[in-house]
Amino acid sequence: RKEVEQDPGPFNVPEGATVAFNCTYSNSASQSFFWYRQDCRKEPKLLMSVYSSGNEDGRFTAQLNRASQYISLLIRDSKLSDSATYLCVAPPGGNLIFGKGTKLSVKP
Amino acid sequence: NAGVMQNPRHLVRRRGQEARLRCSPMKGHSHVYWYRQLPEEGLKFMVYLQKENIIDESGMPKERFSAEFPKEGPSILRIQQVVRGDSAAYFCASSPVESSYEQYFGPGTRLTVT
């Protein structure tokens, strides 16, 4: 089983839609979780951390389910500028382990 | 505060040549990480360095690849005798001492081996 797995998508949604991604991780020792965003041919950028109690930042909500070993990212009121690949990160130790990413395309 | 800097942004090498990729971390960051991203693939960890020390090189291929982060100057990722399969985007990231998970990425070097 891969350490971090994500649905590659693409998720094609209209502007204003709500979309959610899940990411499963295999190492129960992972303590910190993150979502990164990567635009086409650009570097990844930290989007938000995922805390046990959940984390909300504007239109973005991240949640952690330790029992089922998955994290989720919810995007409300999608904008065209949200189109990107979203990478889930679940480091078991000192190094980041990235999922392959979920591609989101927001259409007008 | 300048971000993570990488150069060159694009590098073309013929098979058998050497490739040298440079990374200057953000000011105040002493941890450097190198990742490789093959086309249509995810980011793969290669190596984690602090000044003058390799902390974790578990993701580095055993042959032809090496990395350093000298006391002065940028971190260098060196690939000797490049092959076509080395063609990829190589990203460097840096983090502050207190939070190695909070990594900031450079724009990457796109290596093409012809």
Side-chain angles (χ1 to χ4, degrees):
Chain A
R1 181 181 174 184
K2 293 182 180 177
E3 292 189 15
V4 178
E5 291 198 66
Q6 294 183 251
D7 181 343
F11 283 60
N12 297 309
V13 303
E15 263 187 297
T18 294
V19 62
F21 313 133
N22 280 346
C23 163
T24 58
Y25 61 94
S26 60
N27 193 326
S28 58
S30 296
Q31 294 295 315
S32 304
F33 306 88
F34 307 88
W35 283 100
Y36 277 72
R37 169 193 169 130
Q38 186 174 27
D39 292 283
C40 186
R41 300 182 69 81
K42 300 275 189 174
E43 72 273 22
K45 293 185 179 178
L46 179 63
L47 180 64
M48 59 196 307
S49 305
V50 186
Y51 306 125
S52 295
S53 56
N55 188 17
E56 186 171 324
D57 183 3
R59 298 181 293 109
F60 297 81
T61 300
Q63 294 198 310
L64 166 64
N65 185 317
R66 284 194 186 276
S68 301
Q69 292 189 200
Y70 75 84
I71 64 174
S72 64
L73 178 68
L74 180 78
I75 306 175
R76 289 180 296 276
D77 188 22
S78 302
K79 311 290 184 192
L80 295 176
S81 57
D82 293 334
S83 297
T85 297
Y86 290 84
L87 307 172
C88 157
V89 178
N95 306 311
L96 299 187
I97 306 295
F98 284 86
K100 284 190 177 182
T102 297
K103 190 170 182 179
L104 171 66
S105 181
V106 181
K107 308 289 188 184
Chain B
N1 187 10
V4 177
M5 299 175 69
Q6 288 187 251
N7 67 80
R9 295 290 304 276
H10 299 274
L11 182 62
V12 179
R13 285 287 177 266
R14 291 199 183 100
R15 279 179 297 172
Q17 290 185 318
E18 179 179 285
R20 283 196 182 202
L21 289 62
R22 295 176 189 78
C23 168
S24 296
M26 284 180 72
K27 189 175 181 181
H29 287 190
S30 59
H31 298 202
V32 166
Y33 310 80
W34 285 94
Y35 295 85
R36 177 166 66 176
Q37 188 170 35
L38 295 168
E40 304 302 321
E41 293 288 323
L43 283 154
K44 298 295 184 186
F45 165 78
M46 298 182 75
V47 62
Y48 164 33
L49 310 106
Q50 295 178 18
K51 285 281 187 183
E52 300 185 280
N53 282 310
I54 296 175
I55 305 303
D56 183 349
E57 57 182 347
S58 58
M60 286 273 274
K62 296 290 184 245
E63 297 177 351
R64 303 187 298 107
F65 286 72
S66 63
E68 62 178 8
F69 189 15
K71 188 176 180 181
E72 300 292 335
S75 175
I76 306 285
L77 178 67
R78 182 184 304 160
I79 311 173
Q80 294 177 303
Q81 298 176 329
V82 296
V83 301
R84 286 222 173 104
D86 296 332
S87 295
Y90 291 83
F91 290 99
C92 165
S94 72
S95 70
V97 173
E98 62 273 14
S99 176
S100 63
Y101 296 149
E102 192 178 320
Q103 297 186 12
Y104 297 85
F105 283 78
T109 293
R110 298 196 178 275
L111 172 66
T112 301
V113 180
T114 62

